PDB file of all heavy atoms in Angstrom:
ATOM      1  N   ARG A 200       7.771  -1.668 -28.185  1.00 98.00           N
ATOM      2  CA  ARG A 200       7.283  -2.934 -28.729  1.00 98.00           C
ATOM      3  C   ARG A 200       7.976  -3.191 -30.060  1.00 98.00           C
ATOM      4  O   ARG A 200       8.035  -2.324 -30.924  1.00 98.00           O
ATOM      5  CB  ARG A 200       5.770  -2.917 -28.925  1.00 98.00           C
ATOM      6  CG  ARG A 200       5.281  -4.248 -29.483  1.00 98.00           C
ATOM      7  CD  ARG A 200       3.797  -4.412 -29.411  1.00 98.00           C
ATOM      8  NE  ARG A 200       3.450  -5.714 -29.993  1.00 98.00           N
ATOM      9  CZ  ARG A 200       2.267  -6.250 -29.942  1.00 98.00           C
ATOM     10  NH1 ARG A 200       1.275  -5.626 -29.334  1.00 98.00           N
ATOM     11  NH2 ARG A 200       2.043  -7.414 -30.505  1.00 98.00           N
ATOM     12  N   ALA A 201       8.519  -4.397 -30.204  1.00 97.00           N
ATOM     13  CA  ALA A 201       9.127  -4.837 -31.456  1.00 97.00           C
ATOM     14  C   ALA A 201       8.530  -6.197 -31.762  1.00 97.00           C
ATOM     15  O   ALA A 201       8.831  -7.184 -31.082  1.00 97.00           O
ATOM     16  CB  ALA A 201      10.638  -4.919 -31.324  1.00 97.00           C
ATOM     17  N   GLY A 202       7.643  -6.242 -32.747  1.00 95.00           N
ATOM     18  CA  GLY A 202       6.949  -7.493 -33.047  1.00 95.00           C
ATOM     19  C   GLY A 202       6.116  -7.926 -31.859  1.00 95.00           C
ATOM     20  O   GLY A 202       5.304  -7.169 -31.332  1.00 95.00           O
ATOM     21  N   SER A 203       6.355  -9.125 -31.378  1.00 96.00           N
ATOM     22  CA  SER A 203       5.606  -9.679 -30.250  1.00 96.00           C
ATOM     23  C   SER A 203       6.214  -9.326 -28.891  1.00 96.00           C
ATOM     24  O   SER A 203       5.641  -9.656 -27.854  1.00 96.00           O
ATOM     25  CB  SER A 203       5.534 -11.208 -30.384  1.00 96.00           C
ATOM     26  OG  SER A 203       4.834 -11.559 -31.555  1.00 96.00           O
ATOM     27  N   HIS A 204       7.359  -8.672 -28.888  1.00 98.00           N
ATOM     28  CA  HIS A 204       8.075  -8.390 -27.643  1.00 98.00           C
ATOM     29  C   HIS A 204       7.785  -6.974 -27.145  1.00 98.00           C
ATOM     30  O   HIS A 204       7.801  -6.018 -27.920  1.00 98.00           O
ATOM     31  CB  HIS A 204       9.585  -8.565 -27.848  1.00 98.00           C
ATOM     32  CG  HIS A 204       9.947  -9.952 -28.249  1.00 98.00           C
ATOM     33  ND1 HIS A 204      10.153 -10.953 -27.337  1.00 98.00           N
ATOM     34  CD2 HIS A 204      10.105 -10.519 -29.478  1.00 98.00           C
ATOM     35  CE1 HIS A 204      10.440 -12.074 -27.975  1.00 98.00           C
ATOM     36  NE2 HIS A 204      10.409 -11.837 -29.278  1.00 98.00           N
ATOM     37  N   VAL A 205       7.550  -6.864 -25.838  1.00 98.00           N
ATOM     38  CA  VAL A 205       7.240  -5.579 -25.205  1.00 98.00           C
ATOM     39  C   VAL A 205       8.164  -5.399 -24.003  1.00 98.00           C
ATOM     40  O   VAL A 205       8.337  -6.320 -23.205  1.00 98.00           O
ATOM     41  CB  VAL A 205       5.768  -5.539 -24.733  1.00 98.00           C
ATOM     42  CG1 VAL A 205       5.460  -4.250 -24.000  1.00 98.00           C
ATOM     43  CG2 VAL A 205       4.811  -5.746 -25.910  1.00 98.00           C
ATOM     44  N   LEU A 238       1.711  -1.309 -20.448  1.00 98.00           N
ATOM     45  CA  LEU A 238       1.443  -2.578 -21.143  1.00 98.00           C
ATOM     46  C   LEU A 238       0.264  -2.428 -22.093  1.00 98.00           C
ATOM     47  O   LEU A 238       0.329  -2.844 -23.258  1.00 98.00           O
ATOM     48  CB  LEU A 238       1.172  -3.689 -20.130  1.00 98.00           C
ATOM     49  CG  LEU A 238       2.393  -4.208 -19.363  1.00 98.00           C
ATOM     50  CD1 LEU A 238       1.959  -5.051 -18.172  1.00 98.00           C
ATOM     51  CD2 LEU A 238       3.313  -5.004 -20.279  1.00 98.00           C
ATOM     52  N   GLY A 242      -0.597  -2.935 -26.287  1.00 98.00           N
ATOM     53  CA  GLY A 242      -1.450  -4.066 -26.633  1.00 98.00           C
ATOM     54  C   GLY A 242      -1.247  -5.294 -25.774  1.00 98.00           C
ATOM     55  O   GLY A 242      -1.520  -6.410 -26.198  1.00 98.00           O
ATOM     56  N   ALA A 243      -0.747  -5.107 -24.553  1.00 98.00           N
ATOM     57  CA  ALA A 243      -0.463  -6.233 -23.663  1.00 98.00           C
ATOM     58  C   ALA A 243      -1.162  -6.033 -22.325  1.00 98.00           C
ATOM     59  O   ALA A 243      -1.781  -5.008 -22.078  1.00 98.00           O
ATOM     60  CB  ALA A 243       1.051  -6.354 -23.451  1.00 98.00           C
ATOM     61  N   GLY A 244      -1.028  -7.035 -21.461  1.00 98.00           N
ATOM     62  CA  GLY A 244      -1.580  -6.979 -20.116  1.00 98.00           C
ATOM     63  C   GLY A 244      -0.795  -7.891 -19.208  1.00 98.00           C
ATOM     64  O   GLY A 244       0.205  -8.492 -19.613  1.00 98.00           O
ATOM     65  N   GLU A 246      -1.300 -10.791 -18.231  1.00 98.00           N
ATOM     66  CA  GLU A 246      -1.207 -12.164 -18.718  1.00 98.00           C
ATOM     67  C   GLU A 246      -0.091 -12.369 -19.736  1.00 98.00           C
ATOM     68  O   GLU A 246       0.286 -13.494 -20.037  1.00 98.00           O
ATOM     69  CB  GLU A 246      -2.552 -12.613 -19.309  1.00 98.00           C
ATOM     70  CG  GLU A 246      -2.936 -11.929 -20.606  1.00 98.00           C
ATOM     71  CD  GLU A 246      -3.621 -10.580 -20.475  1.00 98.00           C
ATOM     72  OE1 GLU A 246      -3.557  -9.943 -19.386  1.00 98.00           O
ATOM     73  OE2 GLU A 246      -4.222 -10.130 -21.469  1.00 98.00           O
ATOM     74  N   HIS A 247       0.455 -11.272 -20.284  1.00 98.00           N
ATOM     75  CA  HIS A 247       1.521 -11.357 -21.284  1.00 98.00           C
ATOM     76  C   HIS A 247       2.914 -11.169 -20.688  1.00 98.00           C
ATOM     77  O   HIS A 247       3.917 -11.351 -21.381  1.00 98.00           O
ATOM     78  CB  HIS A 247       1.302 -10.307 -22.377  1.00 98.00           C
ATOM     79  CG  HIS A 247       0.016 -10.491 -23.110  1.00 98.00           C
ATOM     80  ND1 HIS A 247      -1.077  -9.680 -22.907  1.00 98.00           N
ATOM     81  CD2 HIS A 247      -0.359 -11.413 -24.013  1.00 98.00           C
ATOM     82  CE1 HIS A 247      -2.067 -10.091 -23.680  1.00 98.00           C
ATOM     83  NE2 HIS A 247      -1.656 -11.141 -24.359  1.00 98.00           N
ATOM     84  N   VAL A 248       3.001 -10.784 -19.425  1.00 98.00           N
ATOM     85  CA  VAL A 248       4.297 -10.506 -18.811  1.00 98.00           C
ATOM     86  C   VAL A 248       5.053 -11.815 -18.584  1.00 98.00           C
ATOM     87  O   VAL A 248       4.541 -12.745 -17.980  1.00 98.00           O
ATOM     88  CB  VAL A 248       4.132  -9.733 -17.485  1.00 98.00           C
ATOM     89  CG1 VAL A 248       5.483  -9.558 -16.793  1.00 98.00           C
ATOM     90  CG2 VAL A 248       3.493  -8.369 -17.743  1.00 98.00           C
ATOM     91  N   VAL A 249       6.275 -11.851 -19.097  1.00 98.00           N
ATOM     92  CA  VAL A 249       7.107 -13.048 -18.958  1.00 98.00           C
ATOM     93  C   VAL A 249       8.242 -12.842 -17.954  1.00 98.00           C
ATOM     94  O   VAL A 249       8.787 -13.795 -17.424  1.00 98.00           O
ATOM     95  CB  VAL A 249       7.689 -13.508 -20.321  1.00 98.00           C
ATOM     96  CG1 VAL A 249       6.575 -13.958 -21.255  1.00 98.00           C
ATOM     97  CG2 VAL A 249       8.535 -12.425 -20.971  1.00 98.00           C
ATOM     98  N   LYS A 250       8.589 -11.598 -17.677  1.00 98.00           N
ATOM     99  CA  LYS A 250       9.702 -11.298 -16.764  1.00 98.00           C
ATOM    100  C   LYS A 250       9.408  -9.978 -16.074  1.00 98.00           C
ATOM    101  O   LYS A 250       8.982  -9.017 -16.702  1.00 98.00           O
ATOM    102  CB  LYS A 250      11.011 -11.189 -17.552  1.00 98.00           C
ATOM    103  CG  LYS A 250      12.211 -10.646 -16.796  1.00 98.00           C
ATOM    104  CD  LYS A 250      12.905 -11.692 -15.968  1.00 98.00           C
ATOM    105  CE  LYS A 250      14.234 -11.157 -15.452  1.00 98.00           C
ATOM    106  NZ  LYS A 250      14.525 -11.487 -14.119  1.00 98.00           N
ATOM    107  N   GLN A 299       9.036  -7.269 -18.987  1.00 98.00           N
ATOM    108  CA  GLN A 299       9.019  -7.630 -20.410  1.00 98.00           C
ATOM    109  C   GLN A 299       7.796  -8.518 -20.634  1.00 98.00           C
ATOM    110  O   GLN A 299       7.439  -9.307 -19.766  1.00 98.00           O
ATOM    111  CB  GLN A 299      10.278  -8.395 -20.811  1.00 98.00           C
ATOM    112  CG  GLN A 299      11.569  -7.597 -20.674  1.00 98.00           C
ATOM    113  CD  GLN A 299      12.160  -7.704 -19.306  1.00 98.00           C
ATOM    114  OE1 GLN A 299      12.300  -8.787 -18.749  1.00 98.00           O
ATOM    115  NE2 GLN A 299      12.512  -6.585 -18.706  1.00 98.00           N
ATOM    116  N   ALA A 300       7.199  -8.352 -21.802  1.00 98.00           N
ATOM    117  CA  ALA A 300       6.009  -9.133 -22.125  1.00 98.00           C
ATOM    118  C   ALA A 300       6.133  -9.690 -23.547  1.00 98.00           C
ATOM    119  O   ALA A 300       6.951  -9.225 -24.345  1.00 98.00           O
ATOM    120  CB  ALA A 300       4.748  -8.260 -22.008  1.00 98.00           C
ATOM    121  N   TYR A 301       5.302 -10.689 -23.811  1.00 98.00           N
ATOM    122  CA  TYR A 301       5.268 -11.321 -25.136  1.00 98.00           C
ATOM    123  C   TYR A 301       3.803 -11.441 -25.549  1.00 98.00           C
ATOM    124  O   TYR A 301       2.985 -12.012 -24.833  1.00 98.00           O
ATOM    125  CB  TYR A 301       5.912 -12.708 -25.092  1.00 98.00           C
ATOM    126  CG  TYR A 301       5.975 -13.372 -26.440  1.00 98.00           C
ATOM    127  CD1 TYR A 301       6.979 -13.037 -27.334  1.00 98.00           C
ATOM    128  CD2 TYR A 301       5.024 -14.307 -26.831  1.00 98.00           C
ATOM    129  CE1 TYR A 301       7.044 -13.641 -28.580  1.00 98.00           C
ATOM    130  CE2 TYR A 301       5.078 -14.896 -28.063  1.00 98.00           C
ATOM    131  CZ  TYR A 301       6.081 -14.562 -28.949  1.00 98.00           C
ATOM    132  OH  TYR A 301       6.133 -15.148 -30.187  1.00 98.00           O
ATOM    133  N   VAL A 302       3.473 -10.871 -26.695  1.00 97.00           N
ATOM    134  CA  VAL A 302       2.097 -10.855 -27.202  1.00 97.00           C
ATOM    135  C   VAL A 302       2.092 -11.499 -28.583  1.00 97.00           C
ATOM    136  O   VAL A 302       2.782 -11.030 -29.482  1.00 97.00           O
ATOM    137  CB  VAL A 302       1.550  -9.413 -27.316  1.00 97.00           C
ATOM    138  CG1 VAL A 302       0.117  -9.410 -27.795  1.00 97.00           C
ATOM    139  CG2 VAL A 302       1.692  -8.679 -26.008  1.00 97.00           C
ATOM    140  N   GLU A 303       1.350 -12.578 -28.750  1.00 88.00           N
ATOM    141  CA  GLU A 303       1.285 -13.223 -30.069  1.00 88.00           C
ATOM    142  C   GLU A 303       0.277 -12.537 -30.948  1.00 88.00           C
ATOM    143  O   GLU A 303      -0.675 -11.961 -30.515  1.00 88.00           O
ATOM    144  CB  GLU A 303       0.906 -14.702 -29.913  1.00 88.00           C
ATOM    145  CG  GLU A 303       2.042 -15.472 -29.314  1.00 88.00           C
ATOM    146  CD  GLU A 303       1.803 -16.957 -29.332  1.00 88.00           C
ATOM    147  OE1 GLU A 303       1.151 -17.457 -28.413  1.00 88.00           O
ATOM    148  OE2 GLU A 303       2.276 -17.586 -30.301  1.00 88.00           O
TER     149      GLU A 303
END
Side-chain angles (χ1 to χ4, degrees):
R200 180 167 179 171
S203 297
H204 299 275
V205 176
L238 287 166
E246 69 276 17
H247 299 105
V248 175
V249 295
K250 170 82 169 138
Q299 296 88 48
Y301 183 81
V302 182
E303 289 189 275

